[in-house]
Amino acid sequence: MAILPIRLLGTPILRQQTVPVQSVDAEVQKLIDDMIETMHNAEGIGLAAPQVGRSECLFVVGISELLEDMAEDLQTKLPDQPMVFINPEITWESEAEEEFEEGCLSIPDIRESVLRPESIQITYRDRNMQKHSRTADGILARVIQHEYDHLEGVLFTDHISAFRRTILKRKLAEIARGNTRANYPVQPV
Ligand code: NI
């Protein structure tokens, strides 16, 4: 497995629509393994293909580190292995929304509160191309929605208020220029 450099805000592929995966061949299997390794190395809880410069419609989620901080009755409901979502489609969102602070490995050192649906339903394929449908709420729903956005070229900073974006404008421009001190490999724009 290899640790891939993470693309920073300002890189064109982060703004592009991804392409559905037709089959999980050896190359895509390796991409998935590398993305999981890259996510863990960066201490992230999710990573989408465009963040490593790829256009495949897939993301990985790994929330096992968060589980250690949670009560045991919650742990049983959440997966402790990295999850792979290929060609996902969010088929339902709850009307109830909640605010939660988000960050993104492609936008180091920025954390902002984002309002999103509390619960979702998603269909997707796993790395064996088996189809699944599941509901998610809490932290899992949050991470899935954030990563799902990446597949459509959307970043969490698109969801914050125009006022907050103005406040962050200079900081975001600095990241796009590569002036950031992430403690994981990044690829300058
Ligand atoms: Ni992100």
Side-chain angles (χ1 to χ4, degrees):
M1 287 195 267
I3 293 167
L4 307 171
I6 292 176
R7 272 53 173 184
L8 295 177
L9 175 72
T11 304
I13 199 165
L14 289 177
R15 289 307 194 176
Q16 290 163 13
Q17 180 81 34
T18 50
V19 179
V21 174
Q22 299 302 327
S23 69
V24 183
D25 56 16
E27 192 197 344
V28 177
Q29 291 287 2
K30 179 169 169 28
L31 172 64
I32 291 166
D33 286 335
D34 290 349
M35 284 173 62
I36 290 169
E37 180 83 354
T38 301
M39 171 179 71
H40 285 150
N41 178 66
E43 293 177 357
I45 54 176
L47 188 70
Q51 294 183 274
V52 292
R54 299 282 293 248
S55 59
E56 284 90 346
C57 185
L58 71 91
F59 61 80
V60 296
V61 169
I63 53 175
S64 56
E65 258 116 88
L66 293 176
L67 296 182
E68 288 161 22
D69 300 331
M70 289 185 181
E72 277 197 20
D73 59 324
L74 281 173
Q75 288 186 22
T76 54
K77 290 187 211 153
L78 293 168
D80 63 348
Q81 293 297 311
M83 303 174 72
V84 181
F85 295 82
I86 298 172
N87 302 342
E89 193 184 338
I90 290 179
T91 55
W92 174 83
E93 298 175 339
S94 64
E95 267 174 48
E97 297 184 309
E98 65 184 346
E99 293 251 13
F100 199 88
E101 201 173 70
E102 296 186 24
C104 180
L105 295 174
S106 294
I107 314 175
D109 293 331
I110 305 261
R111 298 194 69 82
E112 289 289 321
S113 190
V114 177
L115 185 67
R116 294 189 192 266
E118 251 171 42
S119 319
I120 55 149
Q121 182 156 22
I122 187 168
T123 60
Y124 62 97
R125 291 179 186 274
D126 64 21
R127 61 191 304 169
N128 300 312
M129 285 305 256
Q130 296 299 305
K131 202 168 184 179
H132 300 271
S133 180
R134 69 167 297 154
T135 54
D137 52 23
I139 185 72
L140 184 58
R142 177 60 54 158
V143 181
I144 287 173
Q145 290 175 86
H146 176 114
E147 301 310 326
Y148 187 87
D149 270 357
H150 274 298
L151 303 180
E152 300 187 327
V154 175
L155 301 172
F156 84 94
T157 45
D158 298 338
H159 292 292
I160 65 178
S161 69
F163 174 71
R164 288 300 305 163
R165 235 188 338 268
T166 303
I167 303 264
L168 291 172
K169 198 173 174 184
R170 191 180 301 170
K171 242 175 144 181
L172 293 174
E174 286 299 316
I175 293 169
R177 266 186 232 112
N179 292 334
T180 177
R181 38 175 191 83
N183 54 0
Y184 44 83
V186 295
Q187 179 149 313
V189 179

